[in-house]
Amino acid sequence: MSLNSLANDPELQKFVAAKELENQLAAQVHHLTNICFDKCLESSGNVSELSSRHTTCLQNCVDRFLDCTMLITNRTIQRMQQGR
Amino acid sequence: MSLDTPKLDTNQRQQIMNSVQQQMAIQNAQEILQKLSDKCFKACIQKPGSTLSSSDQKCISQCSDRYMDAWNIVSRAYGERIKREQLRH
Protein backbone atom coordinates (compact mmCIF):
# COMPACT_ATOMS: atom_id res chain seq x y z
CA MET A 1 0.00 0.00 0.00
CA SER A 2 1.67 3.17 -1.16
CA LEU A 3 0.74 6.81 -0.84
CA ASN A 4 -0.23 6.63 -4.49
CA SER A 5 -2.96 4.11 -3.79
CA LEU A 6 -4.28 6.41 -1.07
CA ALA A 7 -4.22 9.48 -3.31
CA ASN A 8 -5.77 7.70 -6.26
CA ASP A 9 -8.62 6.07 -4.39
CA PRO A 10 -11.68 8.17 -5.17
CA GLU A 11 -13.82 6.82 -2.37
CA LEU A 12 -11.12 7.57 0.16
CA GLN A 13 -10.63 11.06 -1.24
CA LYS A 14 -14.33 11.73 -0.95
CA PHE A 15 -14.26 10.45 2.62
CA VAL A 16 -11.26 12.61 3.51
CA ALA A 17 -12.88 15.71 2.00
CA ALA A 18 -16.06 15.07 3.99
CA LYS A 19 -14.06 14.55 7.18
CA GLU A 20 -12.09 17.74 6.62
CA LEU A 21 -15.34 19.66 6.35
CA GLU A 22 -16.62 17.94 9.47
CA ASN A 23 -13.41 18.93 11.23
CA GLN A 24 -13.82 22.57 10.24
CA LEU A 25 -17.40 22.61 11.52
CA ALA A 26 -16.36 20.97 14.79
CA ALA A 27 -13.58 23.53 15.21
CA GLN A 28 -16.14 26.31 14.73
CA VAL A 29 -18.38 24.78 17.39
CA HIS A 30 -15.44 24.61 19.82
CA HIS A 31 -14.58 28.23 19.06
CA LEU A 32 -18.18 29.41 19.43
CA THR A 33 -18.69 27.46 22.67
CA ASN A 34 -15.53 29.01 24.06
CA ILE A 35 -16.69 32.54 23.31
CA CYS A 36 -20.35 32.09 24.18
CA PHE A 37 -19.71 30.24 27.43
CA ASP A 38 -17.74 33.27 28.59
CA LYS A 39 -20.34 35.71 27.33
CA CYS A 40 -23.42 33.95 28.67
CA LEU A 41 -22.30 31.90 31.65
CA GLU A 42 -19.33 33.86 32.86
CA SER A 43 -20.12 34.06 36.52
CA SER A 44 -22.72 31.34 36.69
CA GLY A 45 -20.94 28.54 34.90
CA ASN A 46 -21.34 26.19 37.80
CA VAL A 47 -25.08 26.28 38.31
CA SER A 48 -26.86 22.95 38.61
CA GLU A 49 -28.81 23.50 35.39
CA LEU A 50 -28.86 25.91 32.48
CA SER A 51 -31.86 28.23 32.64
CA SER A 52 -33.88 29.19 29.56
CA ARG A 53 -32.20 32.58 29.77
CA HIS A 54 -28.82 30.89 29.47
CA THR A 55 -30.02 28.80 26.55
CA THR A 56 -31.42 31.81 24.70
CA CYS A 57 -28.22 33.73 25.32
CA LEU A 58 -26.12 30.90 23.89
CA GLN A 59 -28.33 30.62 20.80
CA ASN A 60 -28.27 34.37 20.23
CA CYS A 61 -24.54 34.44 20.80
CA VAL A 62 -23.96 31.94 17.98
CA ASP A 63 -26.13 33.89 15.54
CA ARG A 64 -24.76 37.30 16.47
CA PHE A 65 -21.18 36.11 16.25
CA LEU A 66 -21.79 34.70 12.80
CA ASP A 67 -23.57 37.93 11.75
CA CYS A 68 -20.56 39.82 13.04
CA THR A 69 -18.16 37.63 11.06
CA MET A 70 -20.15 38.06 7.87
CA LEU A 71 -20.34 41.82 8.30
CA ILE A 72 -16.61 42.09 8.86
CA THR A 73 -15.87 39.82 5.91
CA ASN A 74 -18.03 41.85 3.54
CA ARG A 75 -16.60 45.12 4.76
CA THR A 76 -13.05 43.85 4.40
CA ILE A 77 -13.73 42.66 0.86
CA GLN A 78 -15.20 46.09 0.06
CA ARG A 79 -12.07 47.80 1.32
CA MET A 80 -9.84 45.52 -0.70
CA GLN A 81 -11.89 46.16 -3.82
CA GLN A 82 -11.61 49.88 -3.27
CA GLY A 83 -7.89 49.47 -3.01
CA ARG A 84 -7.58 50.91 0.50
CA MET B 1 -0.34 -8.02 -1.83
CA SER B 2 2.10 -6.50 -4.26
CA LEU B 3 3.56 -3.10 -3.55
CA ASP B 4 3.01 -2.24 -7.19
CA THR B 5 -0.75 -2.65 -6.89
CA PRO B 6 -2.26 0.81 -7.07
CA LYS B 7 -5.73 -0.09 -5.82
CA LEU B 8 -6.86 -0.35 -2.22
CA ASP B 9 -9.07 -3.26 -1.37
CA THR B 10 -12.27 -2.77 0.60
CA ASN B 11 -10.66 -3.95 3.80
CA GLN B 12 -7.72 -1.56 3.58
CA ARG B 13 -9.99 1.33 2.74
CA GLN B 14 -12.27 0.55 5.66
CA GLN B 15 -9.29 0.30 7.98
CA ILE B 16 -8.02 3.69 6.91
CA MET B 17 -11.44 5.26 7.25
CA ASN B 18 -11.87 3.79 10.72
CA SER B 19 -8.47 5.04 11.72
CA VAL B 20 -9.23 8.56 10.50
CA GLN B 21 -12.57 8.49 12.28
CA GLN B 22 -10.90 7.43 15.50
CA GLN B 23 -8.22 10.09 15.22
CA MET B 24 -10.84 12.75 14.81
CA ALA B 25 -12.82 11.53 17.80
CA ILE B 26 -9.69 11.58 19.95
CA GLN B 27 -8.78 15.05 18.73
CA ASN B 28 -12.28 16.28 19.47
CA ALA B 29 -12.23 14.85 22.99
CA GLN B 30 -8.81 16.38 23.66
CA GLU B 31 -10.02 19.76 22.53
CA ILE B 32 -13.03 19.61 24.82
CA LEU B 33 -11.00 18.38 27.79
CA GLN B 34 -8.50 21.20 27.36
CA LYS B 35 -11.23 23.84 27.24
CA LEU B 36 -13.08 22.28 30.18
CA SER B 37 -10.02 22.29 32.40
CA ASP B 38 -9.14 25.86 31.51
CA LYS B 39 -12.62 27.25 31.99
CA CYS B 40 -13.55 25.38 35.13
CA PHE B 41 -10.23 25.86 36.86
CA LYS B 42 -10.55 29.57 36.22
CA ALA B 43 -14.17 29.63 37.40
CA CYS B 44 -13.83 27.43 40.46
CA ILE B 45 -10.32 27.68 41.87
CA GLN B 46 -9.59 31.18 43.02
CA LYS B 47 -6.76 30.42 45.39
CA PRO B 48 -5.12 27.03 44.82
CA GLY B 49 -4.90 25.17 48.12
CA SER B 50 -3.13 21.96 49.02
CA THR B 51 -6.10 19.84 47.91
CA LEU B 52 -9.33 20.16 45.98
CA SER B 53 -12.00 20.76 48.61
CA SER B 54 -15.38 19.08 48.18
CA SER B 55 -16.91 22.43 47.22
CA ASP B 56 -14.13 22.85 44.64
CA GLN B 57 -14.97 19.42 43.28
CA LYS B 58 -18.68 20.17 43.16
CA CYS B 59 -18.04 23.46 41.38
CA ILE B 60 -15.78 21.80 38.83
CA SER B 61 -18.24 18.95 38.22
CA GLN B 62 -21.13 21.33 37.66
CA CYS B 63 -19.03 23.64 35.54
CA SER B 64 -17.96 20.82 33.24
CA ASP B 65 -21.57 19.59 32.97
CA ARG B 66 -22.72 23.11 32.07
CA TYR B 67 -19.94 23.48 29.51
CA MET B 68 -21.04 20.25 27.84
CA ASP B 69 -24.65 21.50 27.89
CA ALA B 70 -23.46 24.74 26.30
CA TRP B 71 -21.48 22.79 23.72
CA ASN B 72 -24.61 20.88 22.70
CA ILE B 73 -26.73 24.03 22.50
CA VAL B 74 -24.08 25.82 20.43
CA SER B 75 -23.66 22.80 18.17
CA ARG B 76 -27.39 22.65 17.50
CA ALA B 77 -27.72 26.41 16.98
CA TYR B 78 -24.78 26.37 14.57
CA GLY B 79 -26.24 23.48 12.60
CA GLU B 80 -29.59 25.23 12.33
CA ARG B 81 -27.92 28.46 11.23
CA ILE B 82 -26.08 26.61 8.46
CA LYS B 83 -29.34 25.04 7.31
CA ARG B 84 -31.03 28.45 7.24
CA GLU B 85 -28.16 29.93 5.23
CA GLN B 86 -28.34 27.06 2.74
CA LEU B 87 -32.06 27.58 2.25
CA ARG B 88 -31.48 31.24 1.59
CA HIS B 89 -28.99 30.72 -1.25
Side-chain angles (χ1 to χ4, degrees), chain B residues 13-56:
Chain B
R13 188 182 299 115
Q14 195 58 51
Q15 262 180 21
I16 292 172
M17 284 163 70
N18 289 343
S19 173
V20 169
Q21 189 71 38
Q22 225 175 25
Q23 280 290 89
M24 281 180 62
I26 290 174
Q27 217 177 352
N28 202 42
Q30 279 177 339
E31 178 88 41
I32 289 188
L33 280 178
Q34 171 80 289
K35 287 290 177 347
L36 271 176
S37 297
D38 284 353
K39 289 263 177 277
C40 296
F41 186 82
K42 207 157 97 175
C44 294
I45 313 291
Q46 309 314 332
K47 274 180 156 342
S50 51
T51 57
L52 279 183
S53 71
S54 57
S55 67
D56 286 340

Side-chain angles (χ1 to χ4, degrees), chain A residues 37 44-50, chain B residues 36 40 44 55-69:
Chain A
F37 187 87
S44 47
N46 56 321
V47 291
S48 52
E49 192 180 282
L50 289 187
Chain B
L36 271 176
C40 296
C44 294
S55 67
D56 286 340
Q57 288 180 30
K58 179 162 191 241
C59 179
I60 290 172
S61 300
Q62 285 188 330
C63 169
S64 69
D65 286 346
R66 298 299 75 77
Y67 189 87
M68 290 312 299
D69 291 343

